[in-house]
Amino acid sequence: MSSFSRRGFMASAGGAALMTAGCANGIGSKGGAAIDARVQTTLNYLFNRYPGTQELSNKASGMLVMPLVTEAGFGIGGAYGRGALRVGDATVDYYLQAEASIGFQIGAQQYAHVLFFMTDEALQNFRTSPGWVAGADIKYAIQNEGDRLSADTITSLTPVVAVVFGQAGLIAGATIEGTKYTRIIP
C-alpha cells in the first residue's frame, strides 16, 4: 500500500498543470491570434489606466507583454503565462513565462506585466538568450498616489523596466524576479 502526502500531491498536480498548459500550441492552432488579442487588450488597459506608461513605451526599444500570469503556491509554488514581444507596433515573437518557488507561501493570484526594454542591447540580449531569467537588473515602476504609476529618473538609465499591474488574488505582492522566459511557437 503506497502513502501519498499532500506535498507529493501538490508537486504532481502542479507538474501536470504546467505540462498540459501548453497543449493548445499545436500546428495550425489560432494560439498566436489569441495571444495578440490579449496583448492588445492589456496594452489598451495599461495606457488608459496609467498614462505615464505610454511615454515609457515610446522610449522603449521593445516590450514583452504578459497579459495573464497565474501564480499559485502551498509551500511549493509556480507561475505560468504566455505573451508576446512587440517591437514598434508589431509582434515579433511569442514567449512562455514559468517560475517555480519553494518557501513560506499559500494562495493564488493572477496579474499582468510588461517588460520595457529601454536599450537596444537589453532587447538583443533578451532575444538571443535561449531562456532569459529576470534578475536584479530590472527596475520596477510602482503604483503610488492612487492610480498613478511612476518610474523615477533612474528609469532612463535602467536597461529593463517592469510594470506589474492588475493583481487579483490571495498572495501579497507580485514580483517577476527569478522568472524564466522562453520563446514559443503558438
Side-chain angles (χ1 to χ4, degrees):
M1 188 160 163
S2 68
S3 171
F4 201 68
S5 69
R6 279 186 258 170
R7 181 171 288 169
F9 173 76
M10 290 303 290
S12 64
L18 286 175
M19 286 175 37
T20 59
C23 287
N25 288 337
I27 294 174
S29 75
K30 294 182 172 81
I35 293 171
D36 285 337
R38 290 182 194 125
V39 163
Q40 191 58 53
T41 300
T42 300
L43 288 174
N44 291 342
Y45 174 84
L46 178 67
F47 296 152
N48 287 329
R49 182 80 185 252
Y50 308 106
T53 57
Q54 182 69 59
E55 183 181 340
L56 198 58
S57 170
N58 293 339
K59 292 179 181 177
S61 296
M63 302 179 298
L64 178 66
V65 183
M66 302 302 289
L68 180 64
V69 177
T70 302
E71 180 178 8
F74 185 77
I76 297 173
Y80 174 85
R82 293 187 306 169
L85 178 65
R86 310 246 340 226
V87 175
D89 288 330
T91 295
V92 295
D93 284 313
Y94 297 97
Y95 284 84
L96 166 76
Q97 172 190 339
E99 178 183 356
S101 58
I102 297 174
F104 182 73
Q105 58 187 327
I106 185 169
Q109 72 173 347
Q110 292 184 318
Y111 57 91
H113 73 273
V114 178
L115 298 180
F116 294 92
F117 296 96
M118 303 308 292
T119 66
D120 291 336
E121 181 182 2
L123 179 61
Q124 185 66 20
N125 288 342
F126 178 79
R127 292 191 76 191
T128 58
S129 171
W132 191 82
V133 178
D137 58 340
I138 290 180
K139 173 73 177 171
Y140 287 88
I142 57 171
Q143 184 176 341
N144 66 5
E145 299 175 23
D147 283 338
R148 292 183 55 208
L149 202 62
S150 72
D152 57 27
T153 55
I154 296 173
T155 298
S156 61
L157 304 174
T158 304
V160 182
V161 176
V163 177
V164 180
F165 58 99
Q167 293 98 327
L170 302 172
I171 295 177
T175 180
I176 58 171
E177 262 186 54
T179 298
K180 183 174 182 179
Y181 299 91
T182 306
R183 186 176 299 125
I184 59 171
I185 299 172

